[in-house]
Amino acid sequence: MEKPKVATTSLAGCFGCHMSLLDIDDRILKLIELVDFDKSPIDDIKNFTGRCAVGIVEGGCCNEENVHVLQDFRKNCDILISCGDCAIDGGIPAMRNNIPLKECFDEAYHDGPTVYNPNNITPNDKELPLILNKVYPCHHVVKMDYHLPGCPPSADTLWEALVALLSNKPIELPYELIKYD
Amino acid sequence: MSQKLSRIIKNACESCGNDRNRLMDIVTAIQKECGAVTLEAMDIIAKELNVQRVDVESVVSFYSFLSKEEKGKVVIRICNDVVDILKGAEDVAKVFSETLGIEIGQTAADGSISLEYTPCIGLSDQAPAVLINDVAITNLTVDKAKSIANDLKNGVLPESLTKECGDGNNANDLVKSMVKNNIIKKGSVIFAERQSEAGLEKAITMSPSDVISLIKASKVRGRGGAGFPTGMKWEFTRAAKGDKKYVVCNADEGEPGTFKDRVLLTEKFDMLCEGMAIGGYCIGSDSGIIYLRGEYAYLKAFLEKKLSQRKEVGLLGANICGKDGFNFDIRIQIGAGAYICGEETALISSCEGLRGDPKTRPPFPAQKGYLASPTTVNNVETFCSIAKILEKDAAWYSAIGTKGSTGTKILSISGDCSNPGIYEYDFGVKVSDMLKDAGAEDTKAVLIGGPSGQLIGKTDFNRIICYDDLATGGSIVIFNSYRNILEIVKSYLEFFVEESCGYCTPCRTGNVLLLNKIEEILEGKGEPSDIKYLEDLCSTVKVTSRCGLGQTSPNPVLTSIKNFREVYDAVLKLNEDGRQPTFDIKASLEVAEALQGRKSVIY
Ligand SMILES: Cc1cc2nc3c(=O)[nH]c(=O)nc-3n(C[C@H](O)[C@H](O)[C@H](O)COP(=O)(O)O)c2cc1C
Ligand code: SF4
Ligand code: SF4
């Protein structure tokens, strides 16, 4: 039987959640036996090659490309997981949500104490995705099926969740894995 | 100015004995005189009372009738309770706003008039109603609102707006209010003919514990909503250790759609005082407090006069009714516009001159209440019932009503019916009979017990009013088939969002999330899985909130899902592509497109 496919992506995240996924150490070999990785920074496949059972999404949506990718994930994956606090509630990037976009740009490109920008340019190449008015958690943009909290969720949490999903069993996360103080 | 302010504040503080526990009275007096309790005023108050400024500021910022910024000399508070909205409060608000040239929530530039919305002011039977300073104006129409607004603009005083007084004591010289009692059905306990003070006179011939036994035998339960057996509450309070004990009457009446206590205060005040004195006798207390909601301030002078009259004839004060050593006095504590202060521990906080924050229970007030002393808190109607129970006897009383709910219940009926008003029924009355009496036709839904109770539909109209079936503190709101259930749910959630004290996250945030979701559903952006989302969120808010407000605030959502599921199903649409209909990519890109001077190539 063909192995189910898993896709992953990092939207407005720091890649910490992906690092945590790699942190499952040698269990990654077991994971490879269970699944094939499709579109993912892990194998650098850029486009979906077929329908995926699970999509793991790190980070929320801060720009139009994030939205585009997330909608693509929704279209191509049976189950979508919001992985980590950025995906779940915007996280650190969402700290800008109470500041007007213009002020964010000014601080980032012109007025910030460490800015060196002698020509006073605001980056505006048409290749650059446009920034959204605020950072949105994934489930505000598309329907998400599961939420794995943590910054990042620990390797064990990710492992337990993935194995449970792939073996069609209820996820049982022991208290130690979902306590954060 | 500063010196004048100092003098006003010194006077206010001195008249309360510079007692920090009387902070509510002090800031209310200053608000009335100066139109605000400014930061400068807070500093002076803090110094006078020897407290920190934050102690004062936390109180001023909590209550909606108090403000740091200066309000107009005349403050118009338009009731935006659901019933008032149904009866046209929004049109009335628009006329006020246009005629006065100020938006709702604003004060005129010359400082003459402020205009704001306020939740239920206890006049649902004569809605739409407004409070202009302390003056209640009822049954407003667009035309009347316009002429009142013009009068106020021309400097007419709010007191002169009352052209014709209502019935009963509403016409008393110290009340002079156009409010009507609308007592439509008189029952056998509260509104029956009686021999005044007979209950108190009988009580003092018995021992306090015998009186408590009699009350227990009558099986009377609290009328404020929770239905706790009063005899048991008094027994606990009597047994609790403490030199000083208190009897507190809850006249905060904030549950939207309730107005029975207003009428009892106006017409049955002696019966209430009699019941409180019996309470004092039973638990061994010489001090009573009536917590009067700020919205009923128009009754205060009248009630105070009544208290002093009772004192003159020996029904309050020392050696009451000639009984040596039985001393009992009552003071009135005025509130300042906070629904949560109806919750008994929040009410106690407020009496102590604090923010109206509920306290953690246990300890219950019976052990540790006002100023940490054993305290019984009871509803106005409960005290009135006790007076009658003592006048008659336990067997007479317990024969009325049902087995688990003895006696009568006063209902405040309003909404879509031709006879809104006060109805005293024996417990056990059927909803359908009640609707017939009220002249309700084409009824789609009835809200039993206010928004913290339940919204029922036709299939439940054969159920009965009692603690074991449909419990209510007295609020009954009727909706006809033209009303939008989801709009009603939304309004009540807005009420809870506004009135949450903010202490616990599930109540402070959860109610906002519930409201957001209901708004999305109303906009046609809901999907079937939202029902589960709402139910889960409701149960989280109920289970994890600290006080009764959060524990009941999801009820409009839960009971409307249960009893009016078709209303939800009609607007929830399956979302095929998994994209959230609430997310608008075009709108979210507008700012960046303008800033960067280019259009999105993806969207
Ligand atoms: C949010 C909230 C508001 C309340 N408002 C009132 C009120 O306005 N009047 C009242 O008598 N009880 C009110 N209660 C109930 C009181 O906490 C308390 O149970 C009652 O005053 C006890 O008196 P009883 O035993 O005579 O009913 C409220 C409770 C909550 C949780
Ligand atoms: S949740 Fe934490 S680890 Fe994951 S992307 Fe956000 S900041 Fe990085
Ligand atoms: S449940 Fe709501 S009103 Fe009650 S204490 Fe908590 S936040 Fe305050």
Side-chain angles (χ1 to χ4, degrees), chain A residues 1-167:
Chain A
M1 204 180 85
E2 212 179 314
K3 286 190 273 184
K5 288 187 191 160
V6 173
T8 77
T9 186
S10 174
L11 307 175
C14 75
F15 264 96
C17 290
H18 274 79
M19 290 301 137
S20 194
L21 183 59
L22 295 180
D23 217 20
I24 57 176
D25 298 331
D26 56 346
R27 282 173 290 186
I28 197 126
L29 297 175
K30 252 197 225 158
L31 187 60
I32 298 295
E33 275 171 27
L34 284 171
V35 299
D36 280 333
F37 273 89
D38 200 89
K39 175 179 163 72
S40 167
I42 292 174
D43 53 18
D44 214 19
I45 296 178
K46 303 285 192 213
N47 291 311
F48 281 101
T49 64
R51 184 127 199 106
C52 293
V54 181
I56 300 175
V57 182
E58 162 189 329
C61 292
C62 80
N63 65 31
E64 55 177 340
E65 195 226 358
N66 295 156
V67 174
H68 186 67
V69 171
L70 185 57
Q71 288 173 340
D72 207 23
F73 263 68
R74 182 71 275 176
K75 199 159 110 195
N76 287 286
C77 303
D78 296 339
I79 288 168
L80 279 191
I81 305 177
S82 269
C83 174
D85 293 347
C86 293
I88 292 173
D89 52 33
I92 301 279
M95 286 174 74
R96 78 159 160 96
N97 281 5
N98 291 322
I99 303 168
L101 198 52
K102 166 109 180 30
E103 278 177 43
C104 294
F105 276 29
D106 287 345
E107 183 71 11
Y109 299 121
H110 307 291
D111 303 336
T114 58
V115 172
Y116 177 74
N117 186 358
N119 296 326
N120 233 6
I121 289 167
T122 304
N124 196 13
D125 192 284
K126 64 180 189 317
E127 291 280 312
L128 292 173
L130 287 166
I131 301 285
L132 305 181
N133 59 342
K134 57 182 189 182
V135 177
Y136 293 83
C138 291
H139 64 277
H140 280 200
V141 176
V142 302
K143 200 165 169 308
M144 302 299 289
D145 302 292
Y146 294 97
H147 297 83
L148 278 182
C151 178
S154 68
D156 288 340
T157 309
L158 287 167
W159 173 254
E160 292 296 335
L162 271 177
V163 169
L165 258 182
L166 294 165
S167 52

Side-chain angles (χ1 to χ4, degrees), chain B residues 105-329:
Chain B
Q106 277 186 347
T107 299
D110 65 358
S112 57
I113 302 180
S114 299
L115 190 58
E116 46 193 62
Y117 273 133
T118 194
C120 185
I121 55 176
L123 292 165
S124 310
D125 54 336
Q126 34 215 305
V130 301
L131 286 176
I132 302 183
N133 290 352
D134 292 344
V135 180
I137 306 284
T138 60
N139 285 321
L140 272 169
T141 58
V142 167
D143 291 341
K144 282 192 220 164
K146 187 159 195 161
S147 104
I148 288 172
N150 279 322
D151 282 353
L152 291 171
K153 234 168 53 179
N154 296 330
V156 172
L157 294 175
E159 297 75 48
S160 319
L161 292 171
T162 305
K163 299 281 185 292
E164 203 178 314
C165 291
D167 53 334
N169 286 325
N170 290 301
N172 184 289
D173 265 353
L174 290 171
V175 184
K176 279 215 186 107
S177 169
M178 70 188 288
V179 170
K180 293 199 175 98
N181 289 326
N182 289 331
I183 302 168
I184 297 177
K185 188 175 185 323
K186 295 186 174 180
S188 51
V189 175
I190 307 284
F191 288 113
E193 288 298 318
R194 70 180 299 256
Q195 206 189 329
S196 52
E197 317 307 333
L200 178 59
E201 279 158 11
K202 171 143 148 224
I204 56 172
T205 64
M206 302 163 65
S207 75
S209 47
D210 283 348
V211 179
I212 291 180
S213 299
L214 188 153
I215 294 169
K216 281 172 79 176
S218 78
K219 294 194 280 178
V220 60
R221 295 167 67 169
R223 268 32 178 178
F228 193 84
T230 308
M232 209 192 284
K233 196 186 269 187
W234 288 10
E235 190 169 52
F236 292 154
T237 320
R238 176 173 174 75
K241 279 200 184 59
D243 300 334
K244 182 93 186 159
K245 296 184 183 178
Y246 293 92
V247 176
V248 175
C249 169
N250 189 340
D252 194 54
E253 188 158 67
E255 188 72 34
T258 321
F259 46 85
K260 59 164 185 98
D261 293 343
R262 178 197 85 215
V263 178
L264 294 180
L265 289 164
T266 314
E267 302 301 334
K268 293 285 166 193
F269 190 65
D270 282 309
M271 199 175 180
L272 162 62
C273 295
E274 190 184 334
M276 285 182 74
I278 297 170
Y281 184 70
C282 286
I283 69 165
S285 155
D286 63 1
S287 301
I289 301 174
I290 296 174
Y291 189 89
L292 181 69
R293 69 186 307 217
E295 289 81 350
Y296 293 168
Y298 72 95
L299 291 171
K300 188 164 177 253
F302 166 70
L303 301 182
E304 268 167 352
K305 177 80 187 290
K306 293 281 267 183
L307 287 178
S308 63
Q309 282 169 347
R310 288 184 72 82
K311 233 173 177 165
E312 277 162 26
V313 297
L315 290 168
L316 280 179
N319 306 323
I320 293 181
C321 295
K323 173 112 178 161
D324 256 2
F326 174 31
N327 309 328
F328 189 72
D329 211 344

